[in-house]
Amino acid sequence: TPKGSCLESVKIAIDTGYRHIDGAFVYYNEHEVGQAIREKIAEGKIKREDIFYCGKLWNTCHPPELVRPTLEKTLNILQLDYVDLYIIELPMAFKPGDAIYPKDENGKIIYHETDLCATWEAMEACKDAGLAKSIGVSNFNRRQLEMILNKPGLKYKPVSNQVECHPYFTQPKLLEFCRQHDIVIVGYSPLGTSRDETWVNVSSPPLLKDPVLNAIGKKYNKTAAQVALRFSIQRGVVVIPKSFNPQRIRENFQIFDFSLTEKEMKEIEALNKNVRYVELLM
């Protein structure tokens, strides 16, 4: 993000009423997020405990001995004493080291053999140390979740699994599995995503152009985006829409003054194409 834009966006979001901020070391803007939170605390607008901050363990930091130092580095950048949620960003590991995307001479990512259960034990130790209030995962499928849930001596199970989730990719099976285990699904790209061909599957049409979402929006005097967000939260999916546009930041928050009927929920569920926008090609 251009210098300062993240700082301003987070301050606008906090003023609007947002309290859940989803961040990551690999977004390179945690210093601005931390500054925005601290400035709003200094203004008396919020207290630290009002904010729910999620940080993420990057793929090059899976070896157990790297987990706590990586989280401490994040806390140092944020200038906060703890994160509310710390999650393993992806179930696969990259070669540890300074390169965020370590590549061989052919430009291919260098992977690293990883024991997710050992990484998880290091995450549990971070919770015990008070550096993270809760711990969870991201982009995990059922098999990967079961590896942790069935781990001998499990101390804390994942509280959440952050995955792509929206009307074109509703994740019904994973949602049901997570419900059974009291794992909250946090849906990223809840409005679809940008049309950047370098990392997005653009063969799927833009979600917000969908005629069903727009028709339902018209009925409630809401945008297709507001309908898509409302759909997710009514299914019990946490949404983390990204925006740097002040008007849209406010708009995305205005989804608590209407609710969708059962028929409308079913109509939107029927839009599912089982297609990911974010294919995680690496």
Side-chain angles (χ1 to χ4, degrees):
T1 50
K3 193 168 184 261
S5 69
C6 176
L7 173 70
E8 279 316 302
S9 298
V10 174
K11 292 197 318 198
I12 289 163
I14 290 171
D15 285 340
T16 300
Y18 289 88
R19 295 295 178 261
H20 176 179
I21 299 168
D22 181 76
F25 169 71
V26 81
Y27 299 165
Y28 302 114
N29 56 16
E30 285 190 310
H31 57 293
E32 291 193 14
V33 178
Q35 188 186 336
I37 292 169
R38 294 193 313 276
E39 283 183 20
K40 286 293 159 189
I41 291 171
E43 274 174 35
K45 176 83 188 170
I46 49 164
K47 298 187 184 75
R48 167 64 186 96
E49 54 271 25
D50 295 334
I51 291 291
F52 185 90
Y53 185 81
C54 171
K56 304 189 183 91
L57 180 77
W58 181 239
N59 311 358
T60 53
C61 310
H62 280 211
E65 67 278 8
L66 296 181
V67 173
R68 180 167 176 164
T70 303
L71 173 51
E72 285 171 339
K73 191 172 172 182
T74 280
L75 292 172
N76 193 30
I77 293 167
L78 288 163
Q79 291 183 40
L80 297 173
D81 298 330
Y82 64 89
V83 292
D84 299 272
L85 176 62
Y86 198 53
I87 63 179
I88 300 175
E89 190 157 353
L90 281 155
M92 73 282 290
F94 295 168
K95 179 189 163 197
D98 292 333
I100 296 288
Y101 292 97
K103 289 179 178 169
D104 63 19
E105 58 278 9
N106 302 314
K108 293 268 188 288
I109 292 275
I110 306 170
Y111 294 96
H112 185 72
E113 199 163 300
T114 187
D115 174 359
L116 279 176
C117 291
T119 305
W120 187 254
E121 284 171 9
M123 297 281 285
E124 291 178 323
C126 288
K127 177 171 158 62
D128 281 337
L131 302 177
K133 297 272 188 202
S134 292
I135 50 176
V137 297
S138 180
N139 298 302
F140 274 49
N141 61 26
R142 177 177 175 155
R143 182 181 63 82
Q144 291 151 346
L145 285 168
E146 281 176 337
M147 255 168 80
I148 289 178
L149 292 170
N150 300 331
K151 186 184 90 64
L154 180 72
K155 199 165 184 185
Y156 307 114
K157 63 183 188 182
V159 297
S160 62
N161 184 17
Q162 188 179 125
V163 294
E164 180 176 343
C165 194
H166 47 73
Y168 283 177
F169 193 56
T170 53
Q171 301 262 28
K173 286 181 177 168
L174 187 62
L175 187 56
E176 187 45 44
F177 176 78
C178 287
R179 271 198 191 121
Q180 289 165 4
H181 293 275
D182 289 327
I183 297 170
V184 175
I185 289 267
V186 177
Y188 67 74
S189 301
L191 303 174
T193 187
S194 75
R195 309 298 283 175
D196 180 342
E197 288 179 7
T198 59
W199 60 278
V200 172
N201 167 10
V202 291
S203 66
S204 240
L207 177 69
L208 300 183
K209 294 262 185 351
D210 188 88
V212 174
L213 297 178
N214 281 282
I216 293 171
K218 213 165 184 174
K219 173 184 160 186
Y220 293 105
N221 199 19
K222 293 287 178 185
T223 63
Q226 288 167 321
V227 172
L229 295 175
R230 182 71 211 180
F231 166 74
S232 287
I233 64 165
Q234 272 187 228
R235 307 173 72 215
V237 172
V238 173
V239 287
I240 44 172
K242 183 189 92 170
S243 181
F244 293 101
N245 175 319
Q247 188 193 334
R248 290 206 196 105
I249 289 173
R250 294 184 189 106
E251 230 170 53
N252 290 342
F253 197 76
Q254 290 159 357
I255 57 170
F256 303 104
D257 55 355
F258 78 111
S259 55
L260 300 166
T261 66
E262 213 166 305
K263 178 174 173 282
E264 287 161 347
M265 289 292 288
K266 288 211 160 40
E267 280 172 21
I268 299 172
E269 259 164 37
L271 300 174
N272 184 35
K273 300 177 190 296
N274 266 327
V275 171
R276 293 172 188 273
Y277 282 113
V278 185
E279 293 182 302
L280 300 170
L281 297 173
M282 77 285 203

